[in-house]
Amino acid sequence: MTRNKNQSMLLLLISAVLSILLAVTMDTSGSVVKEFAKGILMGLGSVSCIVGLWFYGKQKK
């Protein structure tokens, strides 16, 4: 893998982890809109992690 691809994979995984971390620490205080935003952040973070790890494994071969 080239250095540029490694940096792209690392940025994707860092942004996914930060998205999940933000969603976990977010205070919703019973608001439906905040709960929805939290769900979206968790979903995007999870999908980004899975896709990033899949691409990393695919590029490693």
Side-chain angles (χ1 to χ4, degrees):
M1 288 176 70
T2 65
R3 182 179 172 140
N4 192 21
K5 286 185 181 181
N6 280 338
Q7 289 175 343
S8 296
M9 293 295 165
L10 187 61
L11 283 175
L12 176 68
L13 291 175
I14 287 173
S15 64
V17 169
L18 287 177
S19 173
I20 292 172
L21 184 64
L22 176 66
V24 169
T25 59
M26 194 164 116
D27 179 32
T28 58
S29 31
S31 172
V32 175
V33 174
K34 287 183 180 178
E35 284 287 340
F36 182 74
K38 184 177 181 176
I40 294 293
L41 283 173
M42 286 293 284
L44 286 175
S46 300
V47 169
S48 296
C49 270
I50 292 169
V51 168
L53 290 172
W54 180 71
F55 275 136
Y56 180 74
K58 188 176 178 182
Q59 294 293 327
K60 206 68 168 155
K61 288 183 179 180

